[in-house]
């Protein structure tokens, strides 16, 4: 879990391994990126690996101190919307 999870996913697949990988979302002043950009990147990551037999892609909020619940609700990121298997 952290940044550039698409690269982690590619390496995981190349090794023939399964992975549950989460693109980090962080939103505090001075952070690498704001929560909105992180959620957009997470959504692209989940779409890119939607239905992949080896990779389960998800969003990975950093902590309750750096991403508030309203941010996640407002962005509407949900596993069901992204076609994640249960």
């Amino acid at each position: 879990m952290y940044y550039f999870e698409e690269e982690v996913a590619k390496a995981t697949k190349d090794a023939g391994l399964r992975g549950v990988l989460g693109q980090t979302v962080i939103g505090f002043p001075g952070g690498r990126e704001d929560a909105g950009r992180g959620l957009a990147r997470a959504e692209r990551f989940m779409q890119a690996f939607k239905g992949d037999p080896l990779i389960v892609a998800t969003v990975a909020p950093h902590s309750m101190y750096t991403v508030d619940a309203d941010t996640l609700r407002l962005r509407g990121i949900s596993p069901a919307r992204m076609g994640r298997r249960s």
Side-chain angles (χ1 to χ4, degrees):
M1 164 184 136
Y2 260 86
Y3 301 110
F4 310 108
E5 284 299 297
E6 64 279 357
E7 296 303 321
V8 175
K10 290 174 190 171
T12 301
K13 287 178 62 101
D14 287 348
L17 300 172
R18 294 179 185 268
V20 177
L21 307 174
Q23 178 64 42
T24 294
V25 174
I26 193 166
F28 64 92
R32 184 176 178 279
E33 57 187 33
D34 66 34
R37 285 179 47 203
L39 284 167
R41 186 176 184 122
E43 188 165 358
R44 287 191 305 272
F45 173 60
M46 289 187 289
Q47 282 290 347
F49 289 93
K50 182 177 175 179
D52 192 282
L54 296 178
I55 303 299
V56 175
T58 191
V59 61
H62 182 267
S63 77
M64 62 186 218
Y65 304 107
T66 60
V67 180
D68 63 23
D70 288 337
T71 299
L72 296 175
R73 277 194 292 273
L74 286 172
R75 293 295 173 167
I77 298 291
S78 75
R81 186 171 146 239
M82 302 309 298
R84 275 256 323 271
R85 52 187 177 254
S86 336

